[in-house]
Amino acid sequence: MKSIYIDKDKLLTMTLPNQFKNENIQNILIYHYVEELISDFTDYSNENFFDEDITLTELPFLLRIRFVDKSTQKDLVRLFKVSDGYASKILRKFEDKGFIKRKEDPQSRRRKIVELTDKGTEKTDEILNHINEWETQHAYKMSPDEMDSLKNLLFKFLN
């Protein structure tokens, strides 16, 4: 991924709801922080990431295929809690765009393993650069150690 230059005049600041105050920081649910992050990322993406090949709702599917070994359509259906038909439609679109290929699972002929193509890897690199830009613009107030701590704590929280 390329490094990102931050224009200090264009730094992002999240506008948090009134209940987010320093004096009650420990009483705010993690859920609310996550909700605000998702909302902010969506707003940022709507303003800064237009891609006629993939929508914001399809983006997690392509990223998951990149980072999960031997992903199948069934795995994606379970993970994203969508119908087989919806997952099939997205995968067919990705296939038509040349982002993925499906191959037969050697252990079960009926299962198809979904893999990224080189073009799909390039597309996910673009998406990851976009995500990295958003993170970098928000993390400018944090030291590298604080950022590492945040990621370690989130990992611990989710395991």
Side-chain angles (χ1 to χ4, degrees), residues 56-114:
L56 275 179
T57 53
E58 296 165 344
L59 185 144
F61 282 82
L62 199 58
L63 287 177
R64 185 57 61 143
I65 293 166
R66 175 166 177 166
F67 292 111
V68 174
D69 190 37
K70 295 187 179 182
S71 193
T72 67
Q73 181 173 325
K74 280 272 189 242
D75 296 333
L76 295 169
V77 164
R78 278 192 298 273
L79 175 69
F80 293 111
K81 295 170 182 42
V82 296
S83 69
D84 274 324
Y86 182 71
S88 180
K89 178 182 165 188
I90 290 174
L91 294 178
R92 190 171 32 257
K93 176 183 174 182
F94 289 167
E95 217 167 16
D96 292 346
K97 297 278 184 186
F99 298 149
I100 65 163
K101 61 183 174 190
R102 299 183 217 206
K103 68 177 194 178
E104 193 174 281
D105 185 343
Q107 291 151 349
S108 173
R109 299 175 75 107
R110 291 175 38 205
R111 282 180 31 158
K112 298 287 186 207
I113 296 173
V114 182

Side-chain angles (χ1 to χ4, degrees), residues 42-64:
T42 301
D43 291 346
Y44 176 78
S45 295
N46 285 334
E47 292 176 18
N48 298 290
F49 185 76
F50 174 76
D51 191 320
E52 56 192 40
D53 290 329
I54 187 167
T55 67
L56 275 179
T57 53
E58 296 165 344
L59 185 144
F61 282 82
L62 199 58
L63 287 177
R64 185 57 61 143

